[in-house]
Amino acid sequence: MTRVSFEFFPPKSDAMEETLWATITKLEPLNPDFVSVTYGAGGSTRERTHRTVKRIVDETNLRAAAHLTCVAASRDEVNAVIKDYWDAGVRHIVALRGDMPEGPGTPYAPHADGYQNGADLTAGIKAIDPFEVSVTAYPEKHPDSPDWDTDLDQLARKVDAGADRAITQFFFDNDLYEAYLERVAKRGIKVNIVPGIMAIHSMKQVKRFAGMCGASVPDSLASRFEGLDDDAEQRLLVSAAVAAEQVLDLQSRGVDTFHFYTMNRAELVYALCRLIGIHPATEPAAAA
Ligand code: FAD
């Protein structure tokens, strides 16, 4: 059976909060495995993540996962956040190293008393409470990895620390994902690697994200969006067609679990879910 999960970011304004909640309400009947909320480097972003996750736990039947990074915080500070989530009923954390507050590309320096990376954080979380922990995977290598061995070693450390699944950075070429699965298998790493699917709302924005995180955007894909910057309606149709091609192709290759980067919008993701056989339940998802 095909399974899905959805990723949101914490809203920055009342209007964005309304959009997010309309999205959550629309997507909830699709009964995702979990929904996750990203975590930023700044203090106020952190507060918004906590608030959003807690509201999902309190007001929906969805299983909420909180993203958490090691950035600019001591172990004690991060441990307090972890305990707070457990007490609030959260049972799943997406454990991340994160990037320096200046953004990706700035060499990473761990906090002197902090968790060092995603593997160290995963072990820390598991030692505190029996959370489900998801970690990251990079079909095109993490930009900090000079070679594949370094990259796969880090994935192996995260799995050895107890990670329950890995979610990939977005990618647009399914061959890259398949080649990555082969590398992981060859390295003897046993973990479910869930493809992270980005439905393209704006090619400009996707190219900017891709540049920062080391993902590639094929020219053939970019050209499909050429001239559509000011035509939201056409862009949405092309985006739906492009993402449909990608998820249906992955399904034909045997993929049965998908993580959607929703950008807090429901329409594309809802349509994609229908295409891969996920239909709304008559009742909302049962609480875990
Ligand atoms: P890790 O996997 O811990 O490490 C990344 C790389 O650093 C390794 O591949 C390796 O090259 C190097 N490295 C780390 N430790 C070692 C070591 N001991 N020895 C050698 N090399 C090492 N960012 C946010 O700020 N907030 C979010 O909510 C967020 N959510 C994300 C969700 C997903 C699914 C993905 C794919 C990324 C997300 N990110 C988020 C981005 C992420 O924080 C960055 O990609 C960051 O640069 C790396 O974090 P990580 O957990 O992947 O790092």
Side-chain angles (χ1 to χ4, degrees), residues 7-11 16 19-20 23 201 261-266:
E7 182 170 310
F8 305 118
F9 61 85
M16 286 169 81
T19 306
L20 171 63
T23 298
H201 290 283
Y261 295 107
T262 68
M263 309 305 288
N264 291 4
R265 293 172 61 172

Side-chain angles (χ1 to χ4, degrees), residues 118-119 122 135-137 148-163 166 180 184 187-191 193:
T122 298
V135 294
T136 57
W148 276 110
D149 283 346
T150 309
D151 203 80
L152 294 173
D153 282 352
Q154 180 61 4
L155 179 65
R157 277 191 282 267
K158 291 187 285 197
V159 174
D160 290 346
Y180 179 70
V184 171
R187 172 72 173 70
I189 303 170
K190 290 192 175 39
V191 69
I193 303 202

